[in-house]
Amino acid sequence: MVHLSRGSLHPPSTLLRSEVAIVCELARTILGPAHPVPWERFADDYDTIRDAISRVVPGCADYNAKVRRPDGFALPHPPRDDRQFPTHTGKANFSAAPLEWVPVPEGRLVLQTLRSHDQYNTTIYGLDDRYRGVKGGRRVVFVNPEDLTAFGLSEGSRVDLVSEYPGSDGTLEERRAEDFLVVPYSTPRGNAAAYYPETNPLVPLDHVAERSNTPVSKAVVIRLVARG
């Protein structure tokens, strides 16, 4: 469903800007005032953004009127709506690709980054995660209890997360995210999980998927270093 949302809190400062304002100012600065996209209008009036979307995204015609309905509106979805599949067979097609395993040295874990319940993308609305029983904090790392025993750690230990990448000169580059609380969790052995963006420093900017160019944040090889 597509619907409007409004914040319930007053901005803490008149200097605080919205994400849209920041993105539009970056675009205007980088692309210049002669760029055909009306960045200033987009930043000043979100209706102009929705008007632009309505002209290019299927199902978003008359966007500004439909989004103001009490329950919003649903975007079209051919497989759901009338079992249409825009494929050469007219049916849903499945494919399989060989699995590629990340090499994991002894004493390391494969970390996946994820969101909490109180989070939408990188916007954090609270410090609780009812999905996983976490309350009052986000700097936590979920680890299989057997791995914790093997590493000499226990529930409540404080650790740094350290990733390792070969540099262009062949040396090993370490990246560190400090002071995480260890939480035993039923993740598979050899795997761990933690929230982003707190763990973003562990991933180099050039460590991306080959085709999508997205950061490889679901398979980060790390070691846990106990804090003194």
Side-chain angles (χ1 to χ4, degrees):
M1 295 298 295
V2 181
H3 56 82
L4 290 175
S5 62
R6 295 184 183 278
S8 59
L9 302 177
H10 292 291
S13 167
T14 57
L15 301 178
L16 185 65
R17 294 179 295 172
S18 68
E19 290 178 307
V20 172
I22 294 170
V23 169
C24 288
E25 183 173 339
L26 285 171
R28 189 168 55 246
T29 301
I30 294 170
L31 301 174
H35 193 267
V37 175
W39 300 111
E40 289 187 4
R41 279 197 289 140
F42 282 176
D44 292 338
D45 184 356
Y46 292 1
D47 276 356
T48 62
I49 301 175
R50 287 186 281 267
D51 284 338
I53 292 172
S54 71
R55 293 192 290 271
V56 296
V57 178
C60 284
D62 204 19
Y63 193 166
N64 275 309
K66 290 193 294 188
V67 81
R68 286 175 167 81
R69 297 172 184 169
D71 295 324
F73 68 98
L75 290 174
H77 191 284
R80 177 200 63 201
D81 298 338
D82 48 23
R83 297 297 185 266
Q84 289 187 9
F85 297 88
T87 64
H88 68 282
T89 63
K91 299 179 180 180
N93 297 324
F94 296 88
S95 61
L99 291 175
E100 296 183 11
W101 300 101
V102 177
V104 184
E106 185 71 23
R108 271 58 170 178
L109 300 170
V110 177
L111 175 78
Q112 66 161 318
T113 64
L114 41 75
R115 294 179 290 187
S116 71
H117 175 267
D118 289 352
Q119 180 176 354
Y120 182 78
N121 293 332
T122 55
T123 302
I124 298 164
Y125 294 100
L127 299 179
D128 297 342
D129 185 358
R130 71 180 187 185
Y131 293 149
R132 304 172 185 92
V134 173
K135 292 185 179 297
R138 291 178 48 86
R139 296 190 77 83
V140 299
V141 57
F142 302 98
V143 185
N144 183 285
E146 294 182 29
D147 285 325
L148 291 179
T149 299
F151 296 152
L153 299 170
S154 59
E155 181 175 2
S157 297
R158 311 294 305 200
V159 297
D160 292 346
L161 312 184
V162 181
S163 61
E164 303 166 334
Y165 295 92
S168 57
D169 59 357
T171 60
L172 202 62
E173 173 192 351
E174 289 191 351
R175 305 178 70 88
R176 184 178 295 257
E178 297 183 338
D179 198 14
F180 280 70
L181 178 72
V182 169
V183 175
Y185 201 76
S186 58
T187 187
R189 283 213 66 179
N191 291 266
Y195 304 126
Y196 76 89
E198 286 83 354
T199 47
N200 283 1
L202 297 173
V203 183
L205 291 177
D206 58 356
H207 193 58
V208 296
E210 291 180 356
R211 295 180 63 183
S212 67
N213 204 40
T214 56
V216 184
S217 298
K218 295 296 182 185
V220 185
V221 178
I222 64 165
R223 70 179 194 271
L224 305 180
V225 178
R227 294 179 65 85

